[in-house]
Amino acid sequence: MANVLINFGLNLFFLLVLPKLVNSTTDNIFNLIYLPNFEIGYIFLSTLISSLLTFLFLSPFYIKLKWHFDKMLWEKMMKYGFPILIAGLAFAVNEHFDKILLEFLNVDKEDIGAYSACYKIGMFMVLFRTAYTLGIEPFFFSYAKEKNATETYATITKYFVIFGAFMSLFIIVF
């Protein structure tokens, strides 16, 4: 939490406070560290400073650890994690290859940006639908033999569509 607070505080300082502290008529320390049009650099600098402070704060805990290699634990971790690693790599390739391909096909960067923004909006809706599916399927299977199952399913689907439409509108507006 300290890392997040330091990072957030430094971002606020570099992006909002520092430009107001700069005075072109006098020499002060703020004039030395302020660079116009360096906003992205200040964000990276904030992250670097907060990460270094976190490392310094946590390094005594790492120094006290007794490091040893546990081969059996390593094998269990690899047996469990290797398929997840392969699936994660495949997901990352699928997630980003379309943008690389669009750039390779000489599509304008603005169009790629608009495509990426729409894709991210769509991802929120996919997450919503996935959460709904994971929650509703057990109910559907357990309620299938009831007499009024069809009407109940229709009502649930109607409210799913209504709530999804409002959620989509909320995401697009905000």
Side-chain angles (χ1 to χ4, degrees):
M1 285 187 60
N3 179 293
V4 172
L5 292 174
I6 291 169
N7 194 344
F8 184 68
L10 286 172
N11 278 315
L12 289 177
F13 172 75
F14 284 133
L15 299 175
L16 299 177
V17 177
L18 184 61
K20 293 178 183 173
L21 294 175
V22 173
N23 189 344
S24 60
T25 59
T26 62
D27 286 331
N28 60 26
I29 187 127
F30 302 117
N31 287 358
L32 295 174
I33 60 173
Y34 178 72
L35 297 171
N37 300 321
F38 192 65
E39 290 82 9
I40 299 296
Y42 284 134
I43 292 170
F44 284 120
L45 186 63
S46 299
T47 304
L48 178 67
I49 291 170
S50 63
S51 295
L52 285 174
L53 289 174
T54 302
F55 174 74
L56 290 174
F57 178 74
L58 294 177
S59 61
F61 297 105
Y62 289 112
I63 292 170
K64 292 178 186 174
L65 287 177
K66 293 181 182 170
W67 297 91
H68 67 282
F69 185 76
D70 186 347
K71 187 177 183 218
M72 298 226 358
L73 178 61
W74 174 258
E75 289 174 359
K76 286 180 184 177
M77 289 171 60
M78 286 295 106
K79 199 178 283 187
Y80 174 78
F82 194 71
I84 296 171
L85 172 71
I86 299 301
L89 289 173
F91 175 78
V93 168
N94 283 333
E95 190 74 16
H96 298 288
F97 186 70
D98 56 342
K99 290 136 194 111
I100 295 167
L101 186 61
L102 288 172
E103 193 171 336
F104 178 75
L105 295 172
N106 295 324
V107 177
D108 292 337
K109 292 221 185 261
E110 293 84 15
D111 293 335
I112 295 173
Y115 168 78
S116 297
C118 293
Y119 185 84
K120 287 179 183 174
I121 290 171
M123 284 304 296
F124 281 113
M125 296 308 296
V126 167
L127 287 172
F128 167 68
R129 194 232 2 116
T130 302
Y132 169 78
T133 303
L134 291 174
I136 204 66
E137 281 180 354
F139 171 76
F140 281 169
F141 290 127
S142 68
Y143 203 76
K145 293 188 172 120
E146 296 295 324
K147 182 167 42 166
N148 62 345
T150 308
E151 294 84 18
T152 304
Y153 295 165
T155 304
I156 290 171
T157 304
K158 177 176 81 171
Y159 287 113
F160 167 74
V161 170
I162 291 169
F163 187 73
F166 278 115
M167 185 173 169
S168 177
L169 179 66
F170 180 81
I171 290 168
I172 290 169
V173 169
F174 293 104

